[in-house]
């Protein structure tokens, strides 16, 4: 549904987006994750035909965003980051205006407005001036506008920013529902959000894609390099030597406090050395008071890949 | 075409919903009323709007119209609504024309309220209808040009105050300064150039009741030129 190949965008000498390529299948919610200033909004603005790319190509539903811009714009619903709206208009007027721009006839618009205001919980606010609404309500108006023409692709830039926790939960569940009918591309710098709403995540940092996959896949990739942390008592040299000698062990770090040694063991991917360590301690007669595997979170992964990216950039 | 009417309706609606438009409207009617009441509506004066149009209307429009046009694009640029607008299926030309005709529509409403003056004059003397129509045509053309120039400056910046000041400056220069400068020369190329560039010089024949294709071409082409610049400026913003 969304095809991006070798997309680059320069702002003067600054590379905001640097040769990124990805592909999004029809249906589902895809998370576009990255720290602030990673190039998310720039990529989204290229996809929504707001900015032209410096190099590379992008297409939505088979239409090129630069050459067939009008076709693309008819097929997308877009909620920009700051949710810009006209404060003097009433919600209904605004939605009529937006519907007319998309070439919807009056009965079609009326039905669509009924549908989207119900869906976005705007029912009682539909005849209020937009300027009087709270930030959360404005966000819903923007969302209602983005889905009113039933677009094939929905592009939401930081849709939950500035909302209170209840509104965030409501918005997320709405986005999940929308993912059943539309292809949704959701940008966010909040991991938690992507982890809970998206079926697939693309992580972007420093203008490049650093990883992509389902949240589960990303977590598995990290677990492959998981560490085992253990605390045991015994002669330090022997402990370190024998643990290092266990099959598959690559790196051991020892910290000793009050006769207890805290070992951080990194083993080969897909191996589990917890049982080996237990057997070792019982056969040697050492005491063992803790053994656990460091559970990988998407957050660790995110921090890790973005740090790597920054290091590579500064080199 | 449908997009243009959609834009025109939104812009007209925005005028009637904003307090600034009412304030501008009040200033316009008050100053026109002052100029008409003190200058034209006297015993012994001729029953026409010539005196009013000669100088005062140009001065008033020079100040009032930039105040109406300053928000057209600047507000969209500042609040970011330009992003939702330009990612909807509407072209830059349609946006610019929609905003231009929206402001022009509001101006025509202002002009229509001034029809009270000839009605008042007609109760005391014979009004030359043809002259009146010619005056109105002149006012319409000048207004369209001022609005197009104001729209251009509004597209230039996201600050409404800058837009309004630049519009004042250019319109005052083209309307009054060129005209005044041209009177300094007795003849020669400089005088001709200054006269041809001066809005007031071109407008004077409309006030006198003369229709000249030269003036019509001047106003229409300059209006189209400013609209063209606005479209290009808006397209250019995308590439930044």
């Amino acid at each position: 549904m969304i095809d991006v190949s070798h997309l680059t965008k320069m702002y003067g000498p600054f590379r905001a987006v640097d040769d990124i390529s990805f592909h999004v299948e029809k249906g589902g919610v895809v998370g576009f994750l990255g720290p602030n200033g990673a190039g998310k909004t720039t990529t989204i603005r290229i996809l929504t035909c707001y900015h032209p790319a410096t190099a590379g190509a992008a297409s939505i539903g088979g239409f090129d965003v630069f050459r067939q811009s009008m076709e693309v714009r008819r097929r997308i619903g877009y909620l920009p980051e700051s949710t810009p709206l006209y404060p003097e208009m009433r919600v209904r007027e605004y939605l009529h205006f937006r519907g007319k721009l998309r070439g919807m006839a009056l009965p079609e618009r009326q039905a669509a407005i009924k549908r989207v205001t119900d869906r976005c919980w705007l029912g009682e606010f539909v005849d209020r001036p937009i300027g009087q609404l709270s930030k959360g309500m404005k966000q819903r108006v923007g969302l209602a506008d983005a889905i009113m023409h039933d677009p094939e692709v929905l592009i939401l830039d930081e849709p939950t920013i500035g909302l209170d926790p209840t509104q965030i939960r409501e918005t997320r569940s709405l986005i999940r529902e929308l993912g059943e009918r539309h292809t949704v591309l959701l940008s966010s710098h909040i991991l938690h959000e992507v982890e809970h709403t998206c079926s697939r995540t693309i992580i972007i940092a420093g203008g490049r894609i650093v990883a992509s996959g389902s949240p589960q896949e990303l977590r598995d990739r990290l677990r492959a390099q998981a560490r085992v942390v253990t605390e045991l008592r015994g002669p330090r040299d022997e402990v370190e030597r024998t643990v290092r000698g266990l099959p598959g062990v690559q790196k051991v770090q020892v910290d000793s406090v009050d006769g207890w040694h805290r070992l951080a063991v990194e083993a080969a991917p897909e191996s589990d050395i917890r049982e080996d360590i237990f057997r070792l301690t019982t056969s040697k007669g050492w005491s063992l008071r803790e053994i656990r595997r460091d559970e990988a979170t998407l957050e660790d992964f995110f921090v890790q890949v973005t740090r790597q990216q920054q290091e590579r950039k500064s080199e | 075409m449908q997009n243009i009417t959609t834009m025109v309706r939104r812009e007209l609606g925005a005028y009637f919903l904003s307090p600034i438009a009412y304030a501008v409207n009040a200033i316009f009617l008050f100053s026109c009323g002052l100029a008409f009441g003190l200058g034209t509506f006297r015993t012994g004066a001729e029953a026409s709007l010539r005196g009013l149009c000669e100088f005062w209307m140009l001065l008033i429009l020079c100040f009032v119209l930039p105040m109406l046009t300053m928000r057209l694009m600047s507000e969209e640029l500042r609040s970011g609504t330009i992003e939702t607008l330009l990612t909807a299926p509407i072209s830059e030309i349609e946006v610019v024309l929609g905003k231009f005709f929206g402001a022009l529509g509001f101006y025509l409403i202002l002009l229509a309220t001034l029809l009270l003056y000839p009605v008042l004059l007609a109760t005391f003397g014979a009004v030359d209808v043809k002259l009146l129509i010619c005056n109105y045509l002149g006012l319409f053309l000048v207004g369209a040009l001022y609005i197009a120039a104001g729209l251009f400056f509004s597209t230039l910046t996201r600050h409404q105050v800058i837009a309004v000041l630049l519009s004042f400056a250019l319109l005052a220069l083209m309307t009054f300064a060129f005209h005044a400068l041209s009177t300094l020369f007795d003849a020669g190329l400089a005088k001709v150039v200054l006269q041809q560039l001066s809005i007031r010089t071109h407008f004077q024949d409309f006030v006198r009741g003369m229709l000249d294709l030269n003036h019509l071409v001047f106003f229409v082409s300059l209006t189209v030129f400013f609209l063209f610049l606005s479209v290009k400026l808006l397209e250019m913003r995308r590439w930044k």
Side-chain angles (χ1 to χ4, degrees), chain A residues 4-197:
Chain A
V4 173
S5 71
H6 304 290
L7 205 64
T8 300
K9 174 76 185 176
M10 314 274 292
Y11 289 113
F14 175 67
R15 267 175 199 275
V17 171
D18 190 3
D19 192 35
I20 69 170
S21 304
F22 64 89
H23 177 77
V24 175
E25 292 294 334
K26 196 174 158 69
V29 183
V30 175
F32 206 47
L33 184 69
N36 292 323
K40 298 182 301 260
T41 299
T42 307
T43 311
I44 280 176
R45 284 184 170 167
I46 294 169
L47 286 177
T48 53
C49 318
Y50 186 58
H51 279 328
T54 310
S59 68
I60 288 183
F63 294 99
D64 186 273
V65 294
F66 186 68
R67 275 184 292 274
Q68 295 155 305
S69 160
M70 287 298 165
E71 293 297 321
V72 172
R73 292 192 222 173
R74 266 180 214 116
R75 284 168 175 77
I76 56 169
Y78 174 37
L79 177 68
E81 187 175 349
S82 52
T83 331
L85 299 164
Y86 300 106
E88 75 276 5
M89 290 178 107
R90 286 166 202 280
V91 175
R92 193 193 300 276
E93 282 169 353
Y94 178 69
L95 293 176
H96 268 295
F97 167 65
R98 299 288 299 172
K100 272 194 266 179
L101 283 185
R102 288 158 176 149
M104 296 164 78
L106 182 66
E108 198 186 343
R109 286 203 305 269
Q110 280 167 336
I113 289 171
K114 176 88 184 63
R115 179 171 54 81
V116 296
T117 48
D118 282 351
R119 192 116 204 230
C120 301
W121 310 285
L122 278 166
E124 50 191 308
F125 299 96
V126 75
D127 287 315
R128 287 258 204 106
I130 292 173
Q132 288 179 7
L133 300 179
S134 68
K135 168 86 181 139
M137 296 306 300
K138 283 183 188 158
Q139 199 84 12
R140 291 182 193 171
V141 176
L143 204 57
D145 161 44
I147 62 177
M148 79 177 286
H149 56 306
D150 207 8
E152 294 167 41
V153 176
L154 253 181
I155 297 177
L156 312 173
D157 196 358
E158 304 268 7
T160 59
I161 213 161
L163 300 186
D164 69 38
T166 327
Q167 290 169 336
I168 289 179
R169 204 175 318 136
E170 282 171 357
T171 309
R172 280 183 192 154
S173 73
L174 178 62
I175 291 170
R176 266 196 302 269
E177 273 176 47
L178 290 172
E180 291 160 17
R181 284 188 55 134
H182 313 262
T183 308
V184 183
L185 183 69
L186 162 93
S187 104
S188 179
H189 68 279
I190 305 159
L191 243 135
H192 187 67
E193 180 161 301
V194 169
E195 211 168 354
H196 286 80
T197 43

Side-chain angles (χ1 to χ4, degrees), chain B residues 46 48 50 128-135 206-209:
Chain B
E46 68 170 42
S48 84
R50 256 172 38 176
D128 184 345
V129 178
K130 282 182 196 153
L131 176 64
L132 190 71
I133 292 173
C134 200
N135 288 173
F206 287 101
V207 179
R208 295 188 194 115

Side-chain angles (χ1 to χ4, degrees), chain B residues 36-97:
Chain B
F36 175 75
L38 297 178
T40 312
F41 200 52
R42 288 182 289 119
T43 37
E46 68 170 42
S48 84
L49 294 181
R50 256 172 38 176
L52 185 66
C53 290
E54 185 92 56
F55 174 74
W56 288 108
M57 277 303 288
L58 281 181
L59 187 68
I60 293 167
L61 290 180
C62 215
F63 278 92
V64 164
L65 287 181
M67 285 195 264
L68 281 181
T69 53
M70 66 180 181
R71 52 158 285 281
L72 283 176
M73 220 49 113
S74 300
E75 198 164 80
E76 304 251 6
L77 296 173
R78 188 190 50 77
S79 71
T81 44
I82 192 76
E83 192 170 347
T84 39
L85 188 59
L86 288 183
T87 50
I90 179 168
S91 67
E92 281 91 345
I93 297 177
E94 289 168 329
V95 170
V96 166
L97 286 182

